Amino acid sequence: MSIAHHPSAPMVAAYAAGRLDFGQHVAVATHLFSCQHCRNQVRAAEQTGGDLLSALPPAPLANDALTRIEARLAEPDKPPPPNPVATSDIPGLPSFLRSYRFDAWRPVAPSLEARAIRLPHPTPTRVFVLKARPGSRLLLHTHKGFELTCVLAGGFSHEGGHFGPGDFDIGDSAVSHEPSIDAGEDCISLVAMQGSLKLRGLLGLLVQPFVRL
Amino acid sequence: MGSIRDAGRQDWAAHLAAVAMHADRAAFASLFAFFAPRIKAFMRRTGESDAQAEELAQEAMLTVWRKAALFDPATTGAAAWIFTIARNLRIDAQRRARRDGAGATPAATEEFEIDDAPLPDIQLAAAQSSAQVRSALAQLSPEQIRVVEMSFFEEKPHTEIAEALSIPIGTVKSRLRLAMKRLRSLLGEET
């Protein structure tokens, strides 16, 4: 298996429990699209959910609850919603995500472009696709809040290792990194971010006003 | 709590198959008797009002009736499948509440569908894993089960779990880590 970097076990469990904020959900789902290992973890966590559900002390329903539902069993089911139409040609995205609206590419910083994804549910997390030119180097930065990155194409390296397609990177205020982009092809990633990034160093101070993320 | 050791003894998968194949109302009534009050309890724990929890439990069981044919015992356990139905309905309900019920939004169900990716070896040994997970959970102490439950169901941050149980936050984290590690090793995953 070529995927080396995964979301943390608690993050995968929170995904399966339905407790992730939607922006984070999108980032983890994108990783799952390529990662059988983590899909298995999700299944395992769902088994746990089923077992925990079975073990809950029951909360009794109204006496006529079963009668009332039996009266509805013959009702026709609502027609399923139409299949969403995939509009994005970006590789590596799960199908529900491909049907969302993508803003146009816009420059963010030298060698760096982004296009925002319009999510259908309100979330404090911004989700966008980031494209960095081959061989470029991003500035040393830290995060207020967090940044989840799932590589879709190409790759990058920082002191945490090398990240290729499917790999999942977690940045937060405890991490300070300076990714360098692989030579040869654009590095395209899906990023879910809360808060903002802070560039470090003198150069960072100088360019911070021009970097729009 | 600790009743988790006895949970899931029934062959709920066979009940689901009877519903799917013969629209078996007696099998459905058994599923309802066991799961509806537990789904209601799950909804209560995740912050729904009593009336809303009751409504969602009904809706979940109606979904179980309608979608029983989609249940695949080769890939998942019956209780896990019903859990995912309840989970998705809860997410939908919370979104409706935030939007004051206005407007349709995509259902959570499709946001958990990622299995259309062309991956080799898609088959997971989950049917096997249900029994394994249960036996793994049975090895946990009641205190550990409580931590896992609070983290899984009740949206409580680790700090609040620590307060509620009067244990240090490090203990909360280590109990969760231990539980996940045990699950992983039982599923044959390397960590």
Side-chain angles (χ1 to χ4, degrees):
Chain A
M1 190 185 296
S2 60
I3 296 179
H5 304 278
H6 305 274
S8 67
M11 186 173 281
V12 171
Y15 170 94
R19 292 197 297 100
L20 282 187
D21 146 75
F22 188 60
Q24 293 172 269
H25 175 98
V26 164
V28 173
T30 301
H31 173 75
L32 292 172
F33 186 76
S34 313
C35 184
Q36 188 62 52
H37 168 87
C38 285
R39 285 191 206 175
N40 292 353
Q41 298 300 322
V42 168
R43 288 285 168 82
E46 287 172 350
Q47 302 302 320
T48 310
D51 290 328
L52 291 173
L53 177 69
S54 301
L56 282 179
L61 278 75
N63 286 334
D64 63 345
L66 180 59
T67 319
R68 278 193 292 135
I69 203 167
E70 279 175 334
R72 296 178 61 193
L73 294 185
E75 279 176 19
D77 197 357
K78 283 174 290 189
N83 277 337
V85 180
T87 52
S88 161
D89 53 358
I90 294 171
L93 298 179
S95 59
F96 76 89
L97 196 51
R98 286 199 301 272
S99 67
Y100 294 166
R101 206 151 71 77
F102 287 65
D103 287 352
W105 288 108
R106 66 176 177 82
V108 172
S111 306
L112 204 58
E113 286 179 273
R115 60 191 301 188
I117 305 179
R118 303 292 187 89
L119 300 182
H121 315 292
T123 158
T125 310
R126 287 169 300 138
V127 177
F128 49 90
V129 180
L130 197 63
K131 179 162 73 179
R133 273 208 219 110
S136 61
R137 211 172 167 78
L138 303 191
L139 286 167
L140 182 65
H141 63 276
T142 58
H143 303 274
K144 290 181 184 166
F146 66 84
E147 177 193 60
L148 308 179
T149 302
C150 184
V151 180
L152 303 172
F156 65 83
S157 299
H158 58 57
E159 65 277 19
H162 180 260
F163 295 75
D167 277 325
F168 195 87
D169 191 20
I170 302 172
D172 60 29
S173 55
V175 178
S176 172
H177 55 211
E178 188 173 10
S180 64
I181 309 300
D182 290 2
E185 69 174 308
D186 284 345
C187 175
I188 301 177
S189 307
L190 178 123
V191 180
M193 184 190 282
Q194 263 181 33
S196 55
L197 5 144
K198 259 176 83 174
L199 302 175
R200 297 274 293 268
L202 181 58
L203 189 55
L205 278 176
L206 291 173
V207 302
Q208 178 92 57
F210 304 103
V211 173
R212 302 185 296 161
L213 267 184
Chain B
M1 205 41 286
S3 55
I4 199 149
R5 285 169 180 77
D6 311 313
R9 293 259 184 267
Q10 279 274 4
D11 188 3
W12 297 121
H15 284 70
L16 284 174
V19 168
M21 288 190 290
H22 318 297
D24 185 332
R25 292 198 173 208
F28 179 73
S30 306
L31 285 162
F32 188 93
F34 184 81
F35 283 105
R38 287 171 172 84
I39 296 170
K40 182 175 174 180
F42 164 66
M43 297 296 179
R44 293 288 286 145
R45 286 191 180 216
T46 55
E48 303 292 344
S49 71
D50 189 76
Q52 181 73 351
E54 173 117 4
E55 176 65 31
L56 287 168
Q58 297 255 12
E59 212 182 317
M61 292 311 297
L62 200 55
T63 307
V64 167
W65 171 264
R66 287 173 175 165
K67 300 213 162 136
L70 299 179
F71 168 68
D72 178 3
T75 59
T76 189
W81 184 70
I82 292 172
F83 166 72
T84 61
I85 287 174
R87 171 195 70 192
N88 296 354
L89 284 174
R90 183 183 69 84
I91 293 172
D92 290 340
Q94 289 183 339
R95 285 175 181 164
R96 276 199 305 273
R98 276 202 300 266
R99 297 161 63 101
D100 286 331
T105 72
T109 303
E110 74 185 41
E111 291 154 12
F112 280 94
E113 277 168 15
I114 35 108
D115 285 1
D116 55 352
L119 286 183
D121 186 26
I122 212 135
Q123 191 66 13
L124 155 76
Q128 131 221 334
S129 80
S130 184
Q132 289 179 329
V133 168
R134 197 168 306 128
S135 79
L137 284 166
Q139 293 171 43
L140 301 182
S141 67
E143 294 77 29
Q144 286 170 326
I145 290 173
R146 186 76 190 113
V147 168
V148 172
E149 273 184 359
M150 289 180 84
S151 170
F152 208 83
F153 282 155
E154 298 179 20
E155 312 220 350
K156 289 206 194 308
H158 293 170
T159 46
E160 279 181 35
I161 298 176
E163 254 170 52
L165 301 180
S166 308
I167 52 176
I169 185 149
T171 310
V172 172
K173 287 183 174 166
S174 65
R175 283 179 187 176
L176 279 171
R177 242 195 332 269
L178 179 73
M180 290 310 290
K181 200 174 153 195
R182 198 163 263 172
L183 289 176
R184 280 182 180 218
S185 66
L186 275 158
L187 291 166
E189 299 280 350
E190 294 145 49
T191 45

